Amino acid sequence: MSQTARSTPLHVAVAFVAMGGWAAFANSAHGPRAMLPAFLVQGALSAVLMLLLKRGLEALYARLPGPAARIAPPLISCTLIAGVLSAVHALAGTPELLRTVALPWTASTLYAFVYTATLPAKEPR
């Protein structure tokens, strides 16, 4: 995989814009007063989670043996991210909570499995 494709700032920026945009769209029926906070909350969450997700997947992958290194990190991340997204949007009063978190959760889960699968093979211990 190229350096650009592994660029952390690029991953973080794309997450902010794409998932923040989705949150605004998901709440558009509630007008700008719901769209802007949803955009900012989801954009910030996605940026921070992407930064932590990428690094966390790499760290867990490096520490776990064998096949568990490919499976456990994405499973752990998708569980934690579901809780964080739901809790923060509930606290923020996002009107379309489930619709808002569905795409970012699905995208982060898919990202976690794909990114972990692309990490370099480990030397047998």
Side-chain angles (χ1 to χ4, degrees), residues 13-26 38-47 50 85 89 100-108:
V14 168
F16 183 92
V17 172
M19 294 301 115
W22 165 255
F25 174 76
F39 173 83
L40 295 173
V41 167
Q42 185 58 54
L45 275 172
S46 291
M50 180 59 64
L85 290 175
H89 277 290
T100 300
V101 302
L103 181 63
W105 179 82
T106 302
S108 66

Side-chain angles (χ1 to χ4, degrees), residues 7-119:
S7 166
T8 299
L10 178 62
H11 285 221
V12 170
V14 168
F16 183 92
V17 172
M19 294 301 115
W22 165 255
F25 174 76
N27 290 278
S28 61
H30 300 277
R33 287 188 180 201
M35 291 171 66
L36 182 59
F39 173 83
L40 295 173
V41 167
Q42 185 58 54
L45 275 172
S46 291
V48 169
L49 289 173
M50 180 59 64
L51 181 63
L52 297 175
L53 176 61
K54 184 175 181 288
R55 291 183 178 165
L57 291 170
E58 291 166 351
L60 282 170
Y61 178 76
R63 287 173 177 78
L64 293 171
R70 298 268 184 213
I71 301 298
L75 290 177
I76 292 166
S77 73
C78 76
T79 303
L80 292 173
I81 288 173
V84 168
L85 290 175
S86 298
V88 173
H89 277 290
L91 289 171
T94 302
E96 299 291 338
L97 189 131
L98 290 177
R99 189 172 176 209
T100 300
V101 302
L103 181 63
W105 179 82
T106 302
S108 66
T109 299
L110 180 60
Y111 172 90
F113 278 99
V114 171
Y115 186 75
T116 303
T118 68
L119 291 173

